[in-house]
Amino acid sequence: MESVMTLFISNDDVQAAIDSKKLRLEPIIGAIEGAYSDLGADKAAYAPRRGVSVPVDDGHRHEDFEDEKFVFGVMEGAVQSTGYFAIRLKLDMTYRFDDPVTGAKTHEKYCIEPGRYCGLILLVDARTAEPLAFMNDGVVQHLRVAATNVLAAKHMAREDARVLGIYGSGGMARSHAQMMGYVRELGEIRVFSPTRAHREAFAAEMEDELRVPVRAVDSADLLPRDCDMLAACTDSRVPVVMPDAIRPGLFLTCVTANEVAREARDRIDAVVLHQTIESSTLRTYATGEGRIDPSGFIDPIVDPPNPVYSTGPKVRGTLAELVNGRIKGRLDRQESVFFYNNIGSGLQFAAIAGEVYRVLHDAPGLREIPTDWLTQSIRD
Amino acid sequence: MESVMTLFISNDDVQAAIDSKKLRLEPIIGAIEGAYSDLGADKAAYAPRRGVSVPVDDGHRHEDFEDEKFVFGVMEGAVQSTGYFAIRLKLDMTYRFDDPVTGAKTHEKYCIEPGRYCGLILLVDARTAEPLAFMNDGVVQHLRVAATNVLAAKHMAREDARVLGIYGSGGMARSHAQMMGYVRELGEIRVFSPTRAHREAFAAEMEDELRVPVRAVDSADLLPRDCDMLAACTDSRVPVVMPDAIRPGLFLTCVTANEVAREARDRIDAVVLHQTIESSTLRTYATGEGRIDPSGFIDPIVDPPNPVYSTGPKVRGTLAELVNGRIKGRLDRQESVFFYNNIGSGLQFAAIAGEVYRVLHDAPGLREIPTDWLTQSIRD
């Protein structure tokens, strides 16, 4: 067993594999589709993001960091058909920061020191329980969100959708621009972000890379005009998709909950959700860990989470139902439809990190440790 | 930052530190007490054990392993006063196995290969989010269960309790025997386990180590006689503590849910729980990850978990309430009281792994990796 090694795959490793076309985007979208196909067939399991946090105690708090605390976030998932399990951990110090120069009120985070972050994936072979690799989540994180939204577009956008509008010009915006062409034949991409230099650089680089006209527009209001698909790819704390953006036949998606104005949602005809809390397959173990019955005894928890959730008049269902044909993404050409990427899932990390590992695991030069550092002979 | 290292602390490292008295048991009990004191003062956070599982697909299942599946378990917690956060991960393949020779029906588990297991703790500095160490959980696991039960005994056993009876002779039994003397002046330890050689070896070794008379008894029925405290430390799937064991003034504890017969619980006067599902401080993030309201919009989840739980006539409350003096562990000398260690908590791992790290982190020869393998410059 000495020769079994657990890899450390960095963001640079993943990005270099994308740049060299060794890691291709189409199979990544396929990996996400396969995961949701498995989920619909009860061959996948996941838990939504959740976590715990504690404030820093008085003696150790930074003086100029208001409300400083440690925030831990975790999500996990497993896909039976590929045999991958992944858990994604986030370790953050967070604080409120009022910039004395600009007056901006922001929520900052860091790990160890400002500018450094910790988002870490542990990928496991779900057929042997072998810990296969630790992976930075920075690049994978963009891939999983974009691949999920693009998969939704495949099932929800008009077949002949040609013009994609993107709010934002960061990593999320890039991933969406790079992937959407695999599910629809793009004639043009339009981009808006508040900083002129950013949107123009994005347009120039993406046009060069994708060989599709990419146009930077000068105001958010101008972006939606003539777009068949809109993707909000921002970290804005105020809405960027306004009511006028919602027109007949539109496909809309987003990366955070804040990006679509409430009045804009009012105009949308139908919504498909990434998932719901209630649709989680998280399992709390049934044995000896139950609630207390009135007589003072412990009832084991035997009920799985409630698979039924309230959909409301506009919400058709979840991505797993969409991929498995149980709901329709679009009833006709005139419907405006919204894929609401409302909550992250460990299933996405199992799908994408699994594909990254499949392609990269035998690449030369990856960092590694003996797997027996992680295992033991003691049975708990 | 190049010089910041993340340690790998093995079971052997921890055991050697215990054996050499570098890592002492009394501060370990103190670390558990401090964690529950913090918890009662809203200065700690934790989530109970939970997980996901998927069966192995048809093409990859072992022929002779019935119902083979991957089972992932996770729990986490943070203690403000020491500034440690820990997450404990378990990666197991499990299957049902009917032994053709003995006829025994067991539930086996392994990681990678039979006899190898993966229970792994990641310890984090909750004041900087720095990943400090990975740690095998095998030794820590015994310490955290024993320290928790011994802490309960401190608050629930008679002040003059002198005789401790232990069901079982494995690692859990040893930890309980080794720690109980720090909270009560032991006059004698008695032990029963089904295999004569095991119980006699345990008695000989513990008597030698603890300098207290340790007597192996020849049947489970004989064990409780004259015992002031009883600790069930088995992995038995059938009850080992029977009704006759429950006598006035007894303190009883256990390590699994199955060990105390229902009829024995009927005789117990009062119960304190380790924790309840409802008393968890697990937080699901409030933003954009909510339930669907009837109009098709998403309601953020704003309510924290319900802190109220039904105690029933016998259940007084939880360990945190006990440690913080909100409930009494014992009303008088005649009460028979039961500390029901019903569910594991990540808080225990934060407490114990934190103490292990505090004592061991500058020991020579520990394995390590650069911490920057685990962090990144991309902000998700």
Side-chain angles (χ1 to χ4, degrees):
Chain A
M1 294 305 304
E2 290 298 322
S3 64
V4 178
M5 304 298 280
T6 298
L7 304 178
F8 285 77
I9 299 177
S10 71
N11 285 330
D12 288 346
D13 294 329
V14 181
Q15 190 60 54
I18 293 173
D19 292 344
S20 71
K21 312 273 192 221
K22 182 172 182 178
L23 179 62
R24 296 187 55 254
L25 299 179
E26 196 164 11
I28 282 176
I29 301 167
I32 285 281
E33 184 154 30
Y36 285 88
S37 175
D38 267 29
L39 184 62
D42 271 339
K43 293 179 172 179
Y46 73 94
R49 186 155 69 95
R50 61 211 186 281
V52 298
S53 73
V54 284
V56 177
D57 63 310
D58 289 340
H60 296 85
R61 206 172 296 134
H62 287 86
E63 266 184 31
D64 31 340
F65 292 176
E66 192 188 347
D67 192 27
E68 190 181 14
K69 56 189 162 193
F70 171 74
V71 178
F72 170 72
V74 58
M75 49 177 122
E76 63 267 46
V79 180
Q80 192 192 58
S81 62
T82 56
Y84 289 119
F85 165 83
I87 177 168
R88 186 260 208 144
L89 314 173
K90 271 175 62 68
L91 309 176
D92 288 313
M93 302 306 301
T94 70
Y95 60 95
R96 286 204 295 265
F97 180 68
D98 295 353
D99 192 312
V101 179
T102 67
K105 291 173 187 296
T106 58
H107 214 96
E108 297 299 315
K109 61 182 181 179
Y110 70 94
C111 174
I112 307 176
E113 60 187 359
R116 201 172 183 193
Y117 308 96
C118 185
L120 192 65
I121 301 160
L122 173 59
L123 183 74
V124 177
D125 185 333
R127 293 164 182 158
T128 64
E130 179 183 336
L132 298 171
F134 289 96
M135 216 177 280
N136 292 140
D137 78 347
V139 178
V140 170
Q141 160 74 358
H142 292 158
L143 296 175
R144 64 130 186 154
V145 176
T148 303
N149 286 346
V150 163
L151 174 61
K154 176 181 171 181
H155 292 272
M156 295 177 74
R158 283 178 173 175
E159 285 292 337
D160 59 358
R162 285 176 51 82
V163 182
L164 167 65
I166 299 177
Y167 300 85
S169 59
M172 282 291 185
R174 270 162 215 271
S175 298
H176 281 69
Q178 287 160 337
M179 287 195 186
M180 195 64 87
Y182 291 102
V183 302
R184 287 296 180 273
E185 195 170 326
L186 293 181
E188 186 179 339
I189 296 173
R190 298 180 189 182
V191 63
F192 172 76
S193 76
T195 305
R196 182 181 194 113
H198 291 172
R199 63 186 184 245
E200 293 190 343
F202 179 92
E205 287 167 33
M206 287 293 109
E207 182 163 305
D208 187 51
E209 176 181 329
L210 303 176
R211 313 267 168 206
V212 169
V214 182
R215 185 152 65 88
V217 300
D218 293 336
S219 84
D221 293 346
L222 291 175
L223 183 70
R225 193 173 298 172
D226 303 323
C227 283
D228 306 306
M229 302 183 283
L230 284 175
C233 300
T234 76
D235 58 359
S236 175
R237 290 162 71 191
V238 295
V240 296
V241 180
M242 307 310 282
D244 282 351
I246 312 303
R247 300 179 190 193
L250 181 71
F251 167 76
L252 170 67
T253 189
C254 63
V255 303
T256 78
N258 307 315
E259 296 172 289
V260 181
R262 176 144 194 139
E263 300 73 23
R265 294 191 195 180
D266 280 333
R267 290 210 187 174
I268 288 162
D269 293 320
V271 177
V272 173
L273 296 167
H274 179 204
Q275 61 187 42
T276 69
I277 297 289
E278 292 88 343
S279 68
S280 162
T281 60
L282 171 70
R283 297 198 187 143
T284 298
Y285 291 92
T287 308
E289 303 186 347
R291 294 187 168 74
I292 304 156
D293 78 12
S295 71
F297 287 101
I298 310 299
D299 279 333
I301 296 176
V302 290
D303 293 329
N306 183 359
V308 179
Y309 55 92
S310 59
T311 51
K314 283 190 177 182
V315 176
R316 292 237 168 92
T318 63
L319 182 59
E321 293 172 302
L322 184 69
V323 168
N324 285 275
R326 295 200 202 119
I327 58 171
K328 280 195 189 312
R330 159 178 300 281
L331 298 184
D332 58 46
R333 288 185 57 78
Q334 293 308 304
E335 262 199 333
S336 58
V337 295
F338 175 31
F339 176 65
Y340 186 17
N341 198 339
N342 59 314
I343 177 169
S345 159
L347 190 63
Q348 299 170 304
F349 285 101
I352 308 266
E355 175 64 13
V356 168
Y357 179 84
R358 190 184 68 77
V359 171
L360 281 189
H361 74 275
D362 54 4
L366 293 178
R367 298 179 293 204
E368 59 186 23
I369 59 169
T371 303
D372 66 10
W373 290 18
L374 304 172
T375 62
Q376 60 188 4
S377 58
I378 297 178
R379 177 183 165 142
D380 290 339
Chain B
M1 294 307 304
E2 289 299 322
S3 63
V4 179
M5 304 299 279
T6 299
L7 304 178
F8 285 77
I9 299 176
S10 71
N11 285 330
D12 287 347
D13 294 329
V14 181
Q15 191 60 55
I18 294 173
D19 293 344
S20 71
K21 311 273 192 223
K22 181 170 182 179
L23 179 62
R24 296 186 58 251
L25 299 180
E26 195 166 12
I28 282 176
I29 302 166
I32 285 282
E33 183 155 29
Y36 285 88
S37 175
D38 267 29
L39 185 62
D42 272 338
K43 292 180 173 178
Y46 74 93
R49 185 156 69 96
R50 62 209 186 282
V52 297
S53 73
V54 286
V56 177
D57 63 310
D58 290 338
H60 295 85
R61 208 173 295 134
H62 287 83
E63 268 185 28
D64 32 341
F65 291 176
E66 193 188 347
D67 191 27
E68 190 180 14
K69 56 189 161 191
F70 171 74
V71 178
F72 169 72
V74 57
M75 50 178 120
E76 64 268 46
V79 180
Q80 193 192 59
S81 62
T82 56
Y84 289 118
F85 165 82
I87 177 169
R88 186 260 209 145
L89 315 172
K90 272 175 61 68
L91 309 176
D92 288 312
M93 303 306 302
T94 70
Y95 60 94
R96 284 202 296 264
F97 180 68
D98 295 354
D99 192 313
V101 178
T102 65
K105 291 173 188 295
T106 58
H107 213 97
E108 298 298 316
K109 60 182 181 179
Y110 71 94
C111 173
I112 308 177
E113 61 187 359
R116 200 172 184 191
Y117 308 96
C118 185
L120 192 65
I121 300 160
L122 172 59
L123 183 73
V124 176
D125 185 332
R127 292 164 183 158
T128 65
E130 179 184 335
L132 298 171
F134 289 95
M135 216 177 280
N136 292 140
D137 79 347
V139 177
V140 170
Q141 160 76 356
H142 292 157
L143 296 175
R144 64 132 187 153
V145 175
T148 303
N149 286 346
V150 164
L151 174 62
K154 176 180 172 183
H155 293 271
M156 295 178 72
R158 283 178 174 175
E159 285 292 336
D160 59 357
R162 284 176 51 82
V163 183
L164 168 66
I166 298 177
Y167 299 85
S169 59
M172 282 290 185
R174 270 162 214 270
S175 298
H176 281 70
Q178 288 160 336
M179 286 194 186
M180 195 64 89
Y182 291 103
V183 301
R184 287 295 180 273
E185 196 170 325
L186 294 181
E188 186 180 339
I189 296 173
R190 298 181 189 181
V191 63
F192 171 77
S193 75
T195 306
R196 183 181 192 112
H198 291 173
R199 63 186 184 244
E200 293 189 343
F202 178 93
E205 287 168 31
M206 286 294 108
E207 183 163 305
D208 187 50
E209 178 181 330
L210 301 176
R211 313 267 170 206
V212 169
V214 183
R215 184 153 65 89
V217 300
D218 292 336
S219 84
D221 293 346
L222 292 175
L223 183 70
R225 193 174 298 172
D226 303 322
C227 282
D228 306 307
M229 300 184 284
L230 283 176
C233 300
T234 75
D235 58 359
S236 175
R237 291 161 71 191
V238 295
V240 296
V241 180
M242 307 311 282
D244 282 351
I246 312 303
R247 301 178 189 193
L250 180 71
F251 167 77
L252 170 68
T253 189
C254 63
V255 302
T256 78
N258 307 315
E259 295 172 289
V260 181
R262 178 145 192 138
E263 300 72 22
R265 293 191 196 180
D266 280 334
R267 291 210 187 172
I268 288 161
D269 293 321
V271 177
V272 172
L273 296 167
H274 179 203
Q275 61 187 43
T276 69
I277 296 289
E278 292 89 342
S279 67
S280 161
T281 59
L282 172 70
R283 295 196 190 146
T284 298
Y285 292 92
T287 308
E289 302 185 349
R291 293 187 168 75
I292 304 156
D293 78 12
S295 71
F297 287 100
I298 310 299
D299 278 334
I301 296 175
V302 290
D303 294 330
N306 183 358
V308 178
Y309 54 93
S310 56
T311 51
K314 283 190 178 184
V315 176
R316 292 237 168 92
T318 63
L319 182 60
E321 294 171 302
L322 183 69
V323 168
N324 285 277
R326 294 199 203 121
I327 58 172
K328 281 195 189 312
R330 160 177 299 282
L331 298 184
D332 58 47
R333 287 185 58 78
Q334 294 307 306
E335 262 199 334
S336 59
V337 295
F338 176 31
F339 176 65
Y340 186 18
N341 198 340
N342 59 314
I343 176 169
S345 160
L347 190 63
Q348 299 169 304
F349 286 101
I352 308 267
E355 175 63 12
V356 168
Y357 178 84
R358 190 185 69 78
V359 171
L360 282 188
H361 74 275
D362 54 4
L366 293 179
R367 297 178 294 204
E368 59 186 23
I369 58 169
T371 303
D372 66 12
W373 291 17
L374 304 172
T375 62
Q376 60 188 2
S377 58
I378 296 177
R379 176 183 166 142
D380 291 340

